[in-house]
Every structure is written in structure tokens, then in C-alpha cells.
Amino acid sequence: MSINFSQYGNELVVENNKIVFDHNIRYVIEVNDTLIILLEIPNNIRYLNNVFGINKNGEIKWRIQSVGDVFPLKNQLPFENLMVNGTDVFVSDFYGRRFSLNPTNGEILSSDVVR
């Protein structure tokens, strides 16, 4: 069953619950009764971990785990892209570093590089 929602700019409304994010929403994709939200971060702003999981009641379930907690990365960047293949969820940054994440809790599972 899909989650009914609406979005405009930096606002997401699910089940009459409005969530206002710090930045505009770039993508919303539903996976396993969770809306995965990727925020669009302007180039001149330092804002990391810009992926959120929202439940069917319109509550924030999680914010993506910091990549630095899992992998020793230099120059961590905000995520630019969100991809779903079945129930597999991936995010990538400007450098083409791709991370697999658990859509249930936002934990980073693995990493590779795409170009």
C-alpha cells in the first residue's frame, strides 16, 4: 500500500502531518512503507547526512548514518542522488561515491565508487 503525501519546496505532508526541512526536497521515494527523502543542498552550505526516512504517519523515523562513522572518508559531502532497485537503496555524492543504506533504519551498509 502506498503512502499518500504531498511536497512543495522544503515541506512534506503525510497524513496531515507537516514536516518542514532545512532545505528543499530533491527526491521522495517509497520503500517498504518508508518515504526516503533526499534534500537538495546548495553548494555554499555545509549540511551533511541529508537523507531521511519518514513513516506512514508522517514522523521522521531516521536520518542517515554519518558516512564518517562507517568509512574513513576525507571531504565528506552531502548526497546528490537517490536510487532504488527493488528494496535496495543507494545514495551517492558529487565524487561518485555510492553508499548502500538500510531503508528501515538509515544505517550505511556498504560503499563503492561509480562514475
Side-chain angles (χ1 to χ4, degrees), residues 73 77 79-83 85 89-100 110-115:
L73 280 185
L77 297 170
F79 298 107
E80 297 285 333
N81 203 0
L82 172 65
M83 300 143 289
N85 183 4
V89 179
F90 302 92
V91 290
S92 61
D93 66 14
F94 177 77
Y95 289 144
R97 298 178 293 200
R98 180 173 62 181
F99 304 92
S100 171
S110 65
S111 171
D112 64 358
V113 177
V114 295
R115 283 286 169 176

Side-chain angles (χ1 to χ4, degrees), residues 7-19:
Q7 75 175 85
Y8 182 76
N10 67 335
E11 298 179 352
L12 179 76
V13 179
V14 180
E15 293 296 322
N16 294 320
N17 291 321
K18 183 193 286 188
I19 302 168

